[in-house]
Amino acid sequence: MYRKLLIAIDPEDDGEGKRALEAALPLAGDSGELHLASVFSPGGSGFFPHVTEASPDDKETEVRHHLDLIARKYLPLNRDAALHVVAGTAGEKLVALAGQLGVDLMILVSRGSSGHWPLRRATVEYVSVNAPCAVLVLPALEKRESTEGDQAE
């Protein structure tokens, strides 16, 4: 069993959150601490100063809200988790948070180079090489198309 787990979650992907928490709960046992983390890009308008985006505070609030919903939806009622929402580069921020918290295990769900969240191949590699703890990388569950019609013949 692990004493402290850091679970990186894309707050916009409910299935990824469920998968990560299902893997984490047995590894934490009854007394392990759970820390859920999401990293967001604070953004900026770049070359388009007339385009207004949400402020970093608004983005943080939105990400924290989604992360909280995932925790309440998939954690048993007798379990709680600390939520961490950080702005910056995903790999660097996750490694720093793991060191700051003194976690034993970090759990990531890798989706290759697809999706919206910047937790991709390069981030997973960065975290795996630089994390101050063990890292468990879960493959994404791909949605399978039904082939029952093809097999019914």
Side-chain angles (χ1 to χ4, degrees):
M1 296 295 157
Y2 291 93
R3 186 175 53 82
K4 285 186 182 182
L5 280 78
L6 177 61
I7 303 131
I9 294 180
D10 177 354
E12 295 180 4
D13 189 338
D14 194 67
E16 181 178 299
K18 179 181 179 183
R19 176 148 168 71
L21 288 171
E22 285 175 347
L25 287 171
L27 295 172
D30 292 332
S31 61
E33 290 181 27
L34 298 176
H35 295 267
L36 310 184
S38 285
V39 180
F40 70 96
S41 173
S45 54
F47 292 117
F48 305 103
H50 59 282
V51 176
T52 57
E53 292 186 10
S55 73
D57 288 340
D58 291 342
K59 284 185 180 182
E60 180 179 352
T61 300
E62 180 183 351
V63 170
R64 185 172 299 281
H65 173 73
H66 288 293
L67 192 60
D68 181 57
L69 288 176
I70 289 171
R72 286 189 285 144
K73 185 173 181 180
Y74 295 116
L75 283 177
L77 292 176
N78 64 342
R79 292 302 305 254
D80 61 348
L83 304 182
H84 305 274
V85 177
V86 187
T89 305
E92 293 172 4
K93 294 299 181 177
L94 290 170
V95 168
L97 186 58
Q100 177 185 358
L101 296 172
V103 300
D104 304 303
L105 177 68
M106 188 183 322
I107 297 177
L108 312 168
V109 178
S110 175
R111 286 182 287 165
S113 59
S114 65
H116 300 290
W117 199 41
L119 184 60
R120 301 297 160 248
R121 213 171 296 153
T123 302
V124 170
E125 182 179 340
Y126 180 88
V127 169
S128 298
V129 170
N130 295 293
C133 60
V135 177
L136 173 60
V137 179
L138 302 170
L141 292 177
E142 298 295 327
K143 291 183 181 177
R144 294 174 45 172
E145 293 182 26
S146 177
T147 57
E148 291 177 19
D150 297 338
Q151 295 175 357
E153 293 179 47

